[in-house]
Structures are given as structure tokens and as C-alpha cells.
Amino acid sequence: MEKNSRPIPWFLAALLSVLSLMTAYVPRAAAQQPKVISNAFSNAPTRFDVSPPLGSLVSLPPAPKSSHDPHTPKKPKLHGRGQASPSENAAAPNLIGARVTATQGLGFAGVDEIDDALDCPRIIGHSPVPPDTNAAVGDSQVVQWVNECYAVFNKSTGALIAGPLAGTNFWSGFGGPCEANNDGDIIIQWDKVNHRWLAAQNVFNSPGDNPPYYTCVAVSQTDDATGSYFRYQFPQPGFPDYPKWGKKGNVYYQTQNNFGDNDGFEGVTVCAYQANLMLKGNSKAQQVCIVDNSNGTLFDDSMLPADDDSPGPSSPEVLLGAIDNFLPGDTHVYEYVFSVDFGNPKNSTLAGIDGSMPISVPAFDLALCVSGGSLTTDCVPQPPPVLPVFAGQAADTLDTLGDRLMYRLAHFSGSNGTQHYVVTHSVNDDAGAVGQRWYEFRAKGLGSTNLYLYQTGQTPADGEYRWMGSAAMDKAGDIALGYSRSSATPGDYPSIYYAGQTAGDPLGTTESEVLIKQGGGSQINSFDRWGDYSSMALDGADSCTFWYTTEYYPLDGTRVWATWIASLKFPNCD
């Protein structure tokens, strides 16, 4: 029998009452003075080289099998210090009839576990679950990386250029832990200013090394993803979980939840990398990091660095995060500002720590539910499997990752100097299911970091579960939102959808959703995991075309995921 994963509001209310007796509510006023820390430290790379063209490494043996499947992201905390009032969702979905303006362009299959030509397990010798799908789009290529394998596609036709390749192919011949550990939690980025690829993967544990944790970075020498790369290995001060990247000017920014020696959450490590030197292959390029433990409260976690979709100054960097500190939800998203000084790293600062720079938003309830008497993020139902081999088995109830904002925090500088920041996360909706809440934050003036909420919208509350979203904005101000959708209704398998808002639509409105790729089965016995993120990328060639990628199951199965890559465009964007 399928598990009951629907939210139970009365249980949350009762739990909240108990929590209110156990812990004091500490309100966070928007007028309070931001708290700032300046405990920055710097590192030179512990290893550096220049690779041969990666295309020439295709015939090399696959990388050694990692010691584990890509892990479930650690939860810094499921609840914190009380309720943010009110608990009701203040912003019901605001929808525009049947209005749909964005149209789909090219769509094609990405890396998977089922097709010989795109099969990841065939390359790495085992099955990675989940794929943690993300992609970036360059001048002529699309690169998709799905945890332990990546592939390069022709942007015009979708034809496979290279791959699938083990993720460690970026560091093949590099030596050390970057070459030896294909640990997942990967990010591929396209530097739109410099027309280069950025590939990054952390090492979670390298036995015998001191320290055992590293960040591996590969920066291409040209716009060809199969060409040569400058390769760097930097240390990390603790278990670097759930890393995310953003680009801003000539600096690359990275965040990760810091779990020390893998024993417990110790805060967020925020790092900046000297991209202007890395792009030149300078072996002395610096990494400058700050570890934020929220002055001991551990309030801050799971930050997203802003990722530029249009040119802007290198510093300071805006970050958003920390939405999981209150039950059932909150009325704020929390801003942080990282100012890096590579000339004197000790002058670098991180402002907004301990949630001291809140941005007011309509109240939301975290995408949590109750299973087995406990709160969980495993809330998304799937149809019961129909294949005879799975008779009597239940489909997984899938993880919403509803305790954090979802990659990316997309940043676009408007022609009048207005800064736009678009991001999404999963929330419980008024129908007792899960929806996608999206935000557009703004700041007035180039380089301004004084963010305010401009508008927010949400997918419809109709009993469908929508989760694992990603959003971005084009140069015309149109917003595209991609996500997965599922329910327990027979045939309503997890499928890929998009919705959006055309510039000029009433604020806070979301147009009708459109199917990108229909799923054909439910995931079974795969740890309830549907990935840590999906990816909505903006094509820098025209700043109009969006590229979205995520996973689906073509049939009922265990570890038989597939992925899809699709382009979208609004007609009013030139």
C-alpha cells in the first residue's frame, strides 16, 4: 500500500503548540542592524595543471567507483526556534486563465540509465542515484552534468558531441583526490562574460589526506567544452555538503553547508575564487573563504550565491538562504552580502549573519508532511507501479527538499540599472499538496545590494504536487519556471513542466503550465530521492532563450532514470 504523504495541518498545529512551550520565538525585525563577520582565510591551490584536450581522454578507462552513491544532502536543521507568524499562506496562487506565451524550441534526451548511447552506469560501472541534473549553455554547445557523468551536445541540433564521460574526466591525469573521487554534488557553469566553462565538484573524504575535503575546479581555455582546461584543487575546512556556485564579474562564488568532520552542522562556508587569474591559468589564484556559524546560533544555512546572467561588478556578492528555521514556515527570506578583498583577504566580510538581513515575503509553509509520526520532506506521491515485476510494491514518496531555496539564484542587470534576482522553492499549498513559490527581488542601482521583494507568485493549488523547481529571467523581463509534477492518480507519473510570466503581466501572476516531457513510470526503491536540484539556464548568446533540464522515469523501475533538455522562449524577447 502506498504511504500516505499528504500534509496534516492539525498535526503541524499541535506540534507547533508543543514547540512554542519548548522554545522562545525570537522575532527578526527588518530594521535591525546587519551583523557582520570578518574571519576570512585564504588558500592557494594545493594542486594545479593544464589538461590535454578532454576529448582526447574519452578512450581512457572509467574512473574508479566512488565509495558511495551520491549522498542525500544533509539537513542542517528541520526546525529551529519557533514560529514566524502568521502560519497561513498569505499569497494564494494568482493565475492568468489559460494564458501561455513561452513556446518550446529544441528538446532532446540527456544522460540517463537506459539508453546505450547516453548510459551513465555503462561508463562509471555503477548506478548513481539520484542524478542531480544541471546544465549550462555556451556559444555552440550545451553541457549537462548529472552527478557522476556529463555529456556535451550541439546547441543547434541536440546531437551528442562527446560523452557520457565520468565526471572525473575533467581531472583525468591530474592526480590526487580530484581524479580519484567522483563524489557528485556537481555544478557546470558557462561564464557569459569570458566565454569559458566552469566545472566544479567537491571531494567529501579523501582518506590519508590532510585536510580530507577539497573543491576541484576546471576552467576551460576556450569556448569548446571538449578542449583543454586549467585545473585547480583547493582545500575545504569541513565536510562541504550541497555546494552551489555563482559567477559575478571576475569572481566565482561558492557556498556549502559545513559539517566539520562529518559529525554535525557547523555553519556555512562561503568562498570566492580569483577567476580573473584562473582564466589565465595562473597557479597562484586565491580562494578566500569565511565560515559562518551565525555567531553560534547556526541560523544560517543552504545559501545560494547570485549567478549573473548579465555583466556586473565582481563584488560584493548577494546570497539568499535560511528559510527552514521556523515551523510551519516563515515570512522572510534572508539576505547575505559577501565582500571579498583578494589583496588583503582579512578585510573580506560577510554581512547579514544570524538572519540579520531579513526580506519580508508573504507567509509560506515549508514543504513538509508527516510520515510514521515524524515530520519529513518525503511528501510527493507517485502512481502505483503497474509492471507485474513490481506487484505489491509501493512507489517511493519523493523528497521535496522543501527546507531550502532551489538552485539557481538567477541575477539579471536591467538596462536602467535595476538589479533583478529570481529564485524558487517548494511550499505546502492550500490544497494540501506542494507547489512552487517563486520570487523576484530587486535592488535599485548597479552594484546595489539593498534587496526588496518586487513580486511573488505560485503554481496552482489543484491537488498536484510540483517540486524541484528552477527559475530565471530574460533580458525582456520574462520569467521562466521549470519543475516536476506528480500525484498518486494512476498515469500521472512525475513529468516535466514549465510555467512563467510575460513581462507586463499583472505582478504576482503565473501563466498556465505546459508539459515538456511526460513521464512513463514511477520511481521504486531508490531512497525516496529525486535529486537535489534541476537547472534553468539562460542562453548568453541572445539572453532570451532558456534551457531547462531535469529527470523523469520512462517506466516503472529502480534506478532507471532518464533526463531531458528543453529550450523555451517568450515571443516578446528579441
Side-chain angles (χ1 to χ4, degrees):
M1 181 177 295
E2 187 174 9
K3 293 186 292 184
N4 179 10
S5 62
R6 296 184 66 83
I8 306 177
W10 65 263
F11 182 92
L12 290 178
L15 179 62
L16 185 59
S17 298
V18 173
L19 285 172
S20 66
L21 298 175
M22 298 171 58
T23 165
Y25 166 49
V26 182
R28 297 185 172 272
Q32 66 181 299
Q33 188 70 22
K35 299 176 183 177
V36 181
I37 55 174
S38 55
N39 60 347
F41 56 91
S42 63
N43 294 300
T46 56
R47 191 179 292 265
F48 166 80
D49 81 352
V50 181
S51 79
L54 295 192
S56 69
L57 304 178
V58 173
S59 61
L60 293 180
K65 177 178 178 178
S66 64
S67 59
H68 53 78
D69 284 324
H71 66 282
T72 301
K74 296 173 178 291
K75 308 283 185 181
K77 45 197 176 293
L78 189 56
H79 55 78
R81 292 172 289 186
Q83 175 194 14
S85 180
S87 62
E88 293 80 11
N89 287 326
N94 193 356
L95 308 173
I96 305 181
R99 179 173 166 84
V100 176
T101 56
T103 57
Q104 297 183 58
L106 183 65
F108 54 92
V111 177
D112 61 28
E113 289 202 312
I114 57 172
D115 185 306
D116 285 345
L118 295 165
D119 187 7
C120 177
R122 176 178 58 85
I123 301 301
I124 60 175
H126 67 284
S127 170
V129 173
D132 290 358
T133 311
N134 79 118
V137 54
D139 291 336
S140 61
Q141 300 168 332
V142 175
V143 178
Q144 184 199 45
W145 200 354
V146 294
N147 246 332
E148 296 185 28
C149 296
Y150 73 95
V152 182
F153 301 90
N154 183 294
K155 187 174 79 171
S156 299
T157 66
L160 182 66
I161 295 173
L165 305 167
T168 44
N169 194 65
F170 283 113
W171 297 277
S172 182
F174 189 47
C178 290
E179 181 179 9
N181 295 272
N182 200 7
D183 282 346
D185 270 17
I186 40 73
I187 294 291
I188 185 71
Q189 286 270 25
W190 171 251
D191 183 335
K192 296 177 175 66
V193 174
N194 298 294
H195 298 259
R196 305 284 193 87
W197 298 98
L198 166 70
Q201 179 169 234
N202 282 358
V203 173
F204 295 132
N205 192 353
S206 185
D209 277 26
N210 186 20
Y213 310 115
Y214 296 94
T215 289
C216 310
V217 187
V219 178
S220 68
Q221 294 190 51
T222 70
D223 64 354
D224 181 5
T226 68
S228 298
Y229 285 71
F230 301 123
R231 305 191 291 194
Y232 297 83
Q233 175 184 294
F234 291 96
Q236 284 292 337
F239 188 103
D241 192 50
Y242 205 68
K244 296 293 170 286
W245 288 77
K247 313 171 305 299
K248 199 171 194 294
N250 284 318
V251 180
Y252 297 147
Y253 291 93
Q254 177 198 29
T255 61
Q256 48 253 306
N257 290 328
N258 183 335
F259 283 84
D261 289 328
N262 203 12
D263 293 325
F265 181 57
E266 295 187 1
V268 182
T269 303
V270 182
C271 296
Y273 295 83
Q274 213 165 359
N276 60 323
L277 296 186
M278 298 173 76
L279 290 160
K280 298 175 182 177
N282 190 317
S283 62
K284 296 182 179 180
Q286 289 187 83
Q287 171 206 57
V288 175
C289 300
I290 287 178
V291 176
D292 169 20
N293 74 345
S294 318
N295 283 335
T297 69
L298 300 180
F299 184 93
D300 308 329
D301 67 78
S302 303
M303 296 179 189
L304 288 180
D307 185 33
D308 273 4
D309 281 331
S310 61
S314 297
S315 184
E317 167 75 338
V318 167
L319 310 100
L320 294 178
I323 63 168
D324 64 339
N325 286 277
F326 302 100
L327 280 175
D330 203 346
T331 56
H332 299 97
V333 168
Y334 297 88
E335 180 186 0
Y336 308 85
V337 177
F338 185 26
S339 300
V340 63
D341 185 342
F342 289 109
N344 188 349
K346 290 185 178 180
N347 288 339
S348 302
T349 60
L350 181 66
I353 69 160
D354 199 21
S356 58
M357 291 174 62
I359 305 173
S360 293
V361 300
F364 60 84
D365 288 350
L366 296 167
L368 304 174
C369 56
V370 178
S371 178
S374 300
L375 277 177
T376 180
T377 53
D378 291 348
C379 301
V380 178
Q382 303 178 90
V386 297
L387 292 181
V389 67
F390 297 113
Q393 295 189 46
D396 292 352
T397 306
L398 302 171
D399 190 350
T400 66
L401 253 71
D403 62 336
R404 63 196 72 194
L405 298 172
M406 299 306 295
Y407 179 77
R408 294 179 302 138
L409 171 56
H411 171 238
F412 201 97
S413 295
S415 58
N416 61 356
T418 300
Q419 308 301 298
H420 307 261
Y421 297 85
V422 178
V423 72
T424 186
H425 66 121
S426 298
V427 298
N428 281 343
D429 65 27
D430 292 337
V434 170
Q436 285 300 289
R437 166 80 72 89
W438 60 267
Y439 304 102
E440 180 191 353
F441 299 100
R442 289 189 174 185
K444 295 181 179 179
L446 190 65
S448 171
T449 60
N450 187 22
L451 267 62
Y452 63 93
L453 178 65
Y454 179 70
Q455 61 169 331
T456 180
Q458 196 166 311
T459 52
D462 57 6
E464 294 280 354
Y465 288 70
R466 298 171 175 90
W467 83 110
M468 206 56 65
S470 185
M473 175 182 284
D474 66 21
K475 68 181 182 183
D478 308 307
I479 295 172
L481 168 67
Y483 51 87
S484 295
R485 195 191 89 173
S486 180
S487 76
T489 302
D492 190 18
Y493 300 109
S495 302
I496 306 172
Y497 284 81
Y498 75 91
Q501 184 193 79
T502 303
D505 284 348
L507 295 182
T509 53
T510 307
E511 296 174 357
S512 295
E513 68 187 6
V514 179
L515 177 69
I516 294 177
K517 185 66 175 177
Q518 177 66 49
S522 292
Q523 175 179 285
I524 301 161
N525 193 26
S526 295
F527 319 113
D528 296 346
R529 303 284 296 112
W530 194 256
D532 294 352
Y533 39 89
S534 63
S535 173
M536 181 70 76
L538 182 66
D539 193 333
D542 61 7
S543 295
C544 288
T545 305
F546 299 96
W547 294 80
Y548 184 63
T549 186
T550 193
E551 67 175 289
Y552 70 100
Y553 267 58
L555 71 167
D556 293 333
T558 298
R559 300 178 181 237
V560 290
W561 51 263
T563 68
W564 193 256
I565 302 168
S567 63
L568 316 167
K569 190 174 181 180
F570 288 82
N572 60 313
C573 194
D574 294 334

